[in-house]
Amino acid sequence: MNKISRKGFLKIAAAAAMSGVTAGALAACNSASSSTASGAAGQYIPGTYEGTAEGISSTVKVTMTFSDSAVTDVVVDTSGETASFGAAAADELREQLLSAGSAEIDGVSGSTITSDAVMKAAKSCYAQAKGEAVVSSVQLPTGDTNDWLGKEPDIDEAAITETVDTDILIVGAGNGGMFAAAYAAKNGLNFRVIEQNANVQDTRHWYGAIDSAAAKAAGEQPADRAKLLSEISRYASGKCDQRVVKTWINESAAMHDFMRSILEDKYGWVCDFTSGSEATWPAENAEHNTDYLFPVQEHNYMASERESGLARNELLLQYIQELGYDVDFKTSLAKLEKNSEGRITGIIAQSTEDDHFIRYNANKGVLLACGGFPGNPYMMEQLDPLGTSVTTACSYSPADKGYGIRAAVWAGANLDKEAAPMLFDRGIVAPGVDAGYVDSDSAFGGKAFPGNIRQYNPGTQPFLKVNRNGERFANESSPYNDIVYAAAHQPGRVYAQICDANILEDAKRFHTIGCSAQTRNGGEKYIQGKMDEAIEAGALFKCDTLDELADKMGFTGAAKDTFLATVERYNELYDKQNDEDFGKPAYRLSAIRTAPFYGCWLGASLLTTEQGIAINEKGQALDNNNQPMEGLYITGDMSGSFFANNYPCLMAGVAMGRTLTFAMKAVKQMAGLDNA
């Protein structure tokens, strides 16, 4: 990074203090302490300097005093960190800094995140003492228990040491970003992609597309588009923009055609299309709620991915590289830029390797595809307190911390007001564990969900569910998130699932669809593997009697008596083939009589969030007056206007289908290729 003047650095530091950019406070205080880390005379500007960086759960501060040739004193403040780990490391980290003569120290075992923060803060102190400007990541802090949004960073012009000009800028190399890049590359457009991590992000394999070439080849009848539109709107309680939903319905087939032209025509992959009886609810379900559940045509290329050893996003990276493009990795969004008319003109980004700032000018527009915020506990607790309260495990990408959403809101974009988490009823935990965050020394923000297994797939099967009092409390035949929301009204916000030795036969009869079908389709080997993993983790119990199972599950006293009576009542309902208590379809009842018996405690597994920036049917971001923001497009989990309340998880693949459709739509709009 280029050196700037002392005056220029002070300006950056002052701006940082107001904006959340960690540049360190400057103070000119002479030191009286003796030197322990020496350098050449005149190497430093004598004085005391502060540097800060984000630790596990707090802002870590390092204060260093310099003579003209040495560090004479160090104060390390980690008081806000977890007491037994980060906070306890302060003295040892201080001694290491005093003797090292630089910010590069060994750190303290077991306190890696705090140690890294101390090193980064010390690096800022050294830079200040040398008259240089090193600005720590503008994305941190990400807010706190009172403010998830924080303030937009005010980055001094002198700190921007690189400029890149392009027509289209794509921020994020995940599912939406890589598909947008592939479409732009195919059309020979002038574009750049940036990604804050060192590689493309996880592929979400399944995607929904309506009346695609795959559907036609399978002999599917054309979808009832009006009904599908109505059902998605009803699932969102009418809080969606139906024009946005129609873009996916009407243009997803073209999205699949382009995906197919790459994966199948160029690389020989084979699409697995889910249709017919596999994607249809059994006829008996129609008597209850077929108008509520509307399956969608689902596509994936997983078999070909396994054969090639590449995930879809990795293959799309290879595709654009073969066409002469690439991704700027380790380059993180700091803020959006706009001109005097309010048009988004580009972004300021920051290298995660050396912290220097880069201006990306985007002549035709910026597409943000940065993901949701499931990995950010500040945002989760404040924007989705209900979803957070019923979650016990996570299967999200930890890189999804909502940075794109924050940058868009800073620029004036309108964030959906309704939470829409993607919650799967598979968050298995040990007895006595409550839903919600627990303290974690190693997790971002110092909080994590307690479950150690990302998803226990058999948890979705509609077996008997009871609360900690041993009582049944809901119809278990429901979309994934319904049972976990019902548990929000139960002790600990968790529930137990009970079944017997006929688990696989029952699962086949239940015929759940979407990804929960893996339990019945995977057969004995699959289900046994999932159960063995959970048993080893102490979260699933296999017992010869129900009495023993009750004890293992933690039921005691009146709760144990109630539990055993509830199982007996459930067997009576099975014998009657009539759920008189909660109205579950008869084919989804099951007897609990054949040993061994299985029991586990469950909550939600959080996959992602779908509460995002409001968009129109062209994919343009909307401002707080719901007017288009010129030059700014949004796709993926950080885009809004489509979902509310929760994700319609039984409409398999709709979220990823939406992501890919709007990725292509945005590029068409920016490049003038959309004739719609």
Side-chain angles (χ1 to χ4, degrees), residues 35-57:
S35 169
T36 56
S38 301
Q43 182 178 0
Y44 305 119
I45 302 169
T48 299
Y49 306 93
E50 288 181 1
T52 59
E54 286 309 297
I56 299 167
S57 55

Side-chain angles (χ1 to χ4, degrees), residues 51-74:
T52 59
E54 286 309 297
I56 299 167
S57 55
S58 69
T59 300
V60 169
K61 183 168 71 173
V62 174
T63 306
M64 302 183 74
T65 301
F66 292 79
S67 68
D68 67 345
S69 62
V71 175
T72 59
D73 193 22
V74 175

Side-chain angles (χ1 to χ4, degrees), residues 17 99 133 158 393 576 590 632:
S99 61
K576 293 180 180 180
S590 57
L632 183 60

Side-chain angles (χ1 to χ4, degrees), residues 241-258:
D241 186 330
Q242 293 191 18
R243 297 167 299 179
V244 172
V245 177
K246 284 179 66 177
T247 294
W248 166 68
I249 292 174
N250 294 333
E251 300 185 27
S252 58
M255 172 272 290
H256 174 67
D257 284 344
F258 179 63

Side-chain angles (χ1 to χ4, degrees), residues 68-141:
D68 67 345
S69 62
V71 175
T72 59
D73 193 22
V74 175
V75 177
V76 175
D77 183 0
T78 61
S79 57
E81 297 291 86
T82 306
S84 60
F85 294 97
D91 290 343
E92 184 174 345
L93 291 167
R94 175 183 182 273
E95 292 304 316
Q96 290 184 21
L97 286 173
L98 275 170
S99 61
S102 76
E104 300 300 323
I105 57 176
D106 293 334
V108 175
S109 177
S111 300
T112 302
I113 296 176
T114 300
S115 298
D116 288 345
V118 167
M119 282 186 268
K120 195 162 193 175
K123 179 181 176 182
S124 175
C125 292
Y126 270 99
Q128 295 171 53
K130 294 177 181 179
E132 300 172 351
V134 173
V135 185
S136 299
S137 174
V138 299
Q139 293 184 338
L140 297 174

Side-chain angles (χ1 to χ4, degrees), residues 9 23 64 67 140 142 157 183 222 243 299 304 306 434 440 444 458 527 536 560 649:
F9 175 70
M64 302 183 74
S67 68
L140 297 174
T142 62
E157 282 294 317
Y183 189 77
R243 297 167 299 179
H299 310 66
S304 296
R306 286 191 291 269
D434 292 343
S440 173
F444 176 80
I527 199 168
E536 185 177 346
K560 180 177 178 179
C649 48

Side-chain angles (χ1 to χ4, degrees), residues 235 281 285 289 292-293 425 460-462 465 474-484 486 512 516 584-585 588 649-650:
Y235 213 107
W281 289 92
N285 210 69
N289 53 12
Y292 178 61
L293 305 171
D425 47 352
T460 293
Q461 300 304 309
K465 309 286 201 306
N475 177 352
E476 300 93 346
S477 179
S478 63
Y480 305 152
N481 46 235
D482 283 22
I483 193 69
V484 299
T512 63
S516 69
K584 182 158 68 174
R588 287 196 160 174
C649 48
L650 297 179

Side-chain angles (χ1 to χ4, degrees), residues 32-377:
S33 301
S34 61
S35 169
T36 56
S38 301
Q43 182 178 0
Y44 305 119
I45 302 169
T48 299
Y49 306 93
E50 288 181 1
T52 59
E54 286 309 297
I56 299 167
S57 55
S58 69
T59 300
V60 169
K61 183 168 71 173
V62 174
T63 306
M64 302 183 74
T65 301
F66 292 79
S67 68
D68 67 345
S69 62
V71 175
T72 59
D73 193 22
V74 175
V75 177
V76 175
D77 183 0
T78 61
S79 57
E81 297 291 86
T82 306
S84 60
F85 294 97
D91 290 343
E92 184 174 345
L93 291 167
R94 175 183 182 273
E95 292 304 316
Q96 290 184 21
L97 286 173
L98 275 170
S99 61
S102 76
E104 300 300 323
I105 57 176
D106 293 334
V108 175
S109 177
S111 300
T112 302
I113 296 176
T114 300
S115 298
D116 288 345
V118 167
M119 282 186 268
K120 195 162 193 175
K123 179 181 176 182
S124 175
C125 292
Y126 270 99
Q128 295 171 53
K130 294 177 181 179
E132 300 172 351
V134 173
V135 185
S136 299
S137 174
V138 299
Q139 293 184 338
L140 297 174
T142 62
D144 55 28
T145 54
N146 300 310
D147 177 21
W148 66 265
L149 181 59
K151 296 179 181 179
E152 182 178 55
D154 182 11
I155 301 167
D156 193 281
E157 282 294 317
I160 302 169
T161 59
E162 183 180 353
T163 299
V164 176
D165 295 315
T166 189
D167 285 340
I168 295 171
L169 178 65
I170 300 166
V171 182
N175 296 290
M178 288 312 300
F179 192 60
Y183 189 77
K186 174 66 175 179
N187 287 279
L189 303 178
N190 177 23
F191 74 95
R192 296 289 284 261
V193 186
I194 70 167
E195 165 59 48
Q196 67 178 354
N197 298 289
N199 45 264
V200 295
Q201 295 303 284
D202 291 344
T203 299
R204 182 65 178 170
H205 308 282
W206 304 270
Y207 63 85
I210 302 304
D211 299 334
S212 68
K216 293 174 183 176
E220 284 287 292
Q221 294 298 310
D224 185 340
R225 298 187 178 202
K227 182 179 180 182
L228 178 56
L229 176 63
S230 174
E231 286 306 295
I232 290 178
S233 179
R234 179 159 59 161
Y235 213 107
S237 302
K239 299 169 185 174
C240 63
D241 186 330
Q242 293 191 18
R243 297 167 299 179
V244 172
V245 177
K246 284 179 66 177
T247 294
W248 166 68
I249 292 174
N250 294 333
E251 300 185 27
S252 58
M255 172 272 290
H256 174 67
D257 284 344
F258 179 63
M259 184 73 80
R260 182 168 58 95
S261 73
I262 300 175
L263 302 189
E264 298 183 39
D265 297 347
K266 181 173 177 59
Y267 295 107
W269 284 18
V270 176
C271 177
D272 179 10
F273 176 69
T274 305
S275 62
S277 61
E278 175 59 29
T280 304
W281 289 92
E284 188 175 357
N285 210 69
E287 300 174 11
H288 296 263
N289 53 12
T290 192
D291 287 336
Y292 178 61
L293 305 171
F294 196 101
V296 171
Q297 300 162 8
E298 186 182 42
H299 310 66
N300 76 71
Y301 292 86
M302 290 182 67
S304 296
E305 293 182 33
R306 286 191 291 269
E307 291 173 3
S308 67
L310 292 174
R312 187 182 71 231
N313 288 342
E314 293 170 335
L315 189 69
L316 293 178
L317 175 62
Q318 177 181 317
Y319 175 76
I320 70 168
Q321 289 173 336
E322 289 173 357
L323 292 173
Y325 300 90
D326 210 337
V327 176
D328 297 347
F329 289 111
K330 298 183 180 180
T331 304
S332 183
L333 170 66
K335 62 183 289 186
L336 291 160
E337 292 198 293
K338 53 187 176 181
N339 63 19
S340 58
E341 287 76 40
R343 185 186 188 281
I344 300 299
T345 58
I347 71 166
I348 297 176
Q350 186 176 31
S351 166
T352 62
E353 290 188 300
D354 62 11
D355 291 340
H356 82 277
F357 288 107
I358 310 158
R359 170 171 281 125
Y360 283 85
N361 295 318
N363 182 49
K364 294 184 177 179
V366 174
L367 171 62
L368 295 183
C370 309
F373 55 88
N376 188 328

